[in-house]
Amino acid sequence: MIKLKDILHAIPVQEVVGQLDVEVTSLCFDSRQANEGSLFVAVRGVHTDGHLFVEKAIQQGCTLIMVEEMPAEKSEGVTYMMVADTAYALGIAAGNFYGNPSRELKLVGVTGTNGKTTIATLLFNLFTALGYHVGLLSTVQNQIGERIIPATHTTPDPVALNALLRDMVDEGCDYCFMEVSSHAVVQQRIAGLRFAGGIFSNITHDHLDFHKTFDNYIKAKKKFFDDLDRFAFALTNGDEKNGSVMLQNTFAHKKTYGLKGVADFKAKIIESHFDGMLLNIEGHEVWVKLVGEFNAYNILAVYGAAILLEQETVKVLTALSQITGAEGRFEAITSKNGVIGIVDYAHTPDAVANVLSTINNLRKKEQQIITVLGCGGDRDKTKRPEMAEVAAKMSDKVIITSDNPRTEDPVQIIKDMEPGIPADRKKNVFSITDRKEAIRAACHLAQPGDIVLVAGKGHEKYQDINGVKHHFDDREELEKTFNE
């Protein structure tokens, strides 16, 4: 059991009404989970304000309440604590409640628009291969050693996050590699965590529905590095124009990686094929099972982080040659008549360009690229025509379809994409609203040797339509059609 006064350690509490020398049995920010012994923290969210549910929490037996504004009428026997920022306080409180597990292992955060999942997963696979017990927090899944825990967010809420880290520590994990989304930084989900290092991949057009401006988006990523301490490392992509911005105000040890310019960790692509590529990393040749320049950056970020975490170069390179990346990231399968299918999570203009650039560099002159692409509903609408434009310019044929329409009309989402299609490419672009039919059509358009790219959903095993998640797996649909 932990006392309330201990949970408040390092939280700047402005006012207290009631007793602090009481035991806390759970921590929550959802009033439905509040009961006797809970500390309910009223957080202002994107869609609702926890302050509206203070009375509900009290009715359920909760007598410990943290707020940003003291209620005019207070219930007898209830302890109220007022702080300036309950989201920040929740992060600190969650760390204290679970014994600050981030200080008992080496926690490395990965941020950027594209590559977060691949870098975090590769690090998890690499350090597992090096003989360590490792934790992973990613978009695809959370993992403690071999135990898989389904993921609901790229970065969990502070309570779930600290609970997972505590489990990792208790199960003997030496390291944890986690994705750090820009939402998580702004919403203080990582408040109070101690990071051994941070990695920046890149930043491109995404999440402007949440951040409103690209400048705000950059600042969210940068704040993660600003908050690192002098014992951590900050590893950034030196070839990315905003890479140096991430290091401007950090106290951490500053390091860079790159394929083109001057960098602390350098690599070069020697050969590239659909099943992997040969890299020269710091003078050592190594074959890896990933494809494309964007993955060369991911591999190099992983290599740099491993060296900064004091691993042996030869052991790291040997392990890198054997491991695979994240599910749904440039996953290739071949049909019985030789059509190559590729499933990729690309859901930003830059990510679509990266994948199609890789395919164009690998294909033979006679091989066609047929791309199946949609855009998610209830998300940044400004990237829709940009994604359609990239796909149309870099593919021989494109089928525009549904992604996760959520609460939007999929037909309208397709209409939002269409203005981006150049006039001279319109005859090569088709619209099929049903994603399953779109994948089937692409496969039937393909001749032996052609390449069908199914972009946007990657590892996801569902399609979100009006709040209901229906089973849907791009790879499964490709394989079904290939085996017909």
Side-chain angles (χ1 to χ4, degrees), residues 121-123 125-126 129 288-290 302 319-325:
T121 303
L122 285 170
L123 280 164
N125 292 342
L126 171 63
V288 296
K289 296 178 180 178
L290 283 82
V302 169
L320 280 175
S321 70
Q322 297 164 354
I323 62 176
T324 54

Side-chain angles (χ1 to χ4, degrees), residues 148-191:
I148 294 170
I149 302 147
T152 54
H153 294 79
T154 298
T155 310
D157 68 72
V159 181
L161 184 47
N162 278 278
L164 280 163
L165 289 171
R166 172 45 59 194
D167 285 348
M168 289 176 189
V169 170
D170 291 348
E171 292 185 32
C173 287
D174 307 289
Y175 295 89
C176 173
F177 301 105
M178 71 175 283
E179 294 184 50
V180 176
S181 68
S182 53
H183 292 67
V185 176
V186 172
Q187 294 170 351
Q188 303 280 14
R189 285 184 236 160
I190 58 170

Side-chain angles (χ1 to χ4, degrees), residues 341-389:
I342 294 170
V343 173
D344 195 89
Y345 189 52
H347 60 284
T348 66
D350 186 63
V352 174
N354 281 339
V355 173
L356 284 169
S357 175
T358 298
I359 296 170
N360 273 295
N361 288 336
L362 292 173
R363 71 162 165 170
K364 293 176 183 148
K365 196 175 179 181
E366 66 275 12
Q367 289 178 297
Q368 284 196 107
I369 302 173
I370 303 163
T371 297
V372 178
L373 179 75
C375 289
D378 302 334
R379 296 292 185 270
D380 183 1
K381 292 184 179 182
T382 61
K383 69 181 182 183
R384 292 174 184 174
E386 292 181 27
M387 287 174 66
E389 180 182 9

